[in-house]
Amino acid sequence: MEKTIPSKKRVQPENVPAPGGTYSHGIVVGDFLFTAGMGPIDPETGQVVGDDVATQTRQVLKNLAAVLAAEGLTFDDVVKSTVHLQELHRDFAAYDEVYREHFTEPYPVRTTVGSDLMNILVEIDFVAYKG
């Protein structure tokens, strides 16, 4: 039996930092938007914003909000998030405080892990439902 994937639509808003590799900012497949992992990069300067996890988390969420908005979505449409923290034990509470500012119950499901990141403290990706 042959499987067919619904058509894929690339989401690449201009008000988000340019990809740092071979990937799209987002892909819509069926009723879902899948985002790339976003870092705390200022789209205007191309530079990492802040040296603490709270500041960096705010910028990451701002970047992700722009990808969501390109498809008419908001944080309320997010059903899953994956979060990578450079310093999981040290930074989880500060990161989570900022994250709470952007979401309401029922919160998306979330996986948060410690990762070896490239000169940043936090990276986040989403799955959002377009419905």
Side-chain angles (χ1 to χ4, degrees):
M1 180 155 55
E2 184 177 323
K3 291 183 185 179
T4 58
I5 186 169
S7 65
K8 296 189 294 184
K9 174 187 167 193
R10 179 180 184 201
V11 180
Q12 197 77 27
E14 292 186 15
N15 57 339
V16 178
T22 310
Y23 61 88
S24 299
H25 283 60
I27 292 287
V28 173
V29 177
D31 289 336
F32 292 92
L33 166 66
F34 299 85
T35 75
M38 287 282 173
I41 309 300
D42 181 317
E44 292 183 20
T45 67
Q47 300 298 309
V48 173
V49 173
D51 58 1
D52 63 278
V53 77
T55 301
Q56 289 194 7
T57 299
R58 281 188 183 88
Q59 183 65 48
V60 169
L61 293 173
K62 182 178 177 182
N63 293 343
L64 286 165
V67 177
L68 292 169
E71 287 298 307
L73 303 173
T74 69
F75 290 115
D76 290 336
D77 300 301
V78 175
V79 295
K80 167 100 172 88
S81 65
T82 304
V83 180
H84 299 266
L85 295 175
Q86 178 71 28
E87 301 291 340
L88 179 62
H89 296 288
R90 180 191 75 190
D91 289 343
F92 181 83
Y95 141 77
D96 192 56
E97 184 176 327
V98 173
Y99 186 90
R100 283 176 192 273
E101 296 170 5
H102 294 82
F103 290 94
T104 58
E105 290 194 37
Y107 300 117
V109 297
R110 180 175 77 185
T111 301
T112 305
V113 297
S115 295
D116 187 16
L117 301 173
M118 293 179 62
N119 303 315
I120 60 175
L121 299 174
V122 59
E123 181 176 310
I124 303 172
D125 67 79
F126 290 154
V127 176
Y129 181 66
K130 289 181 56 86

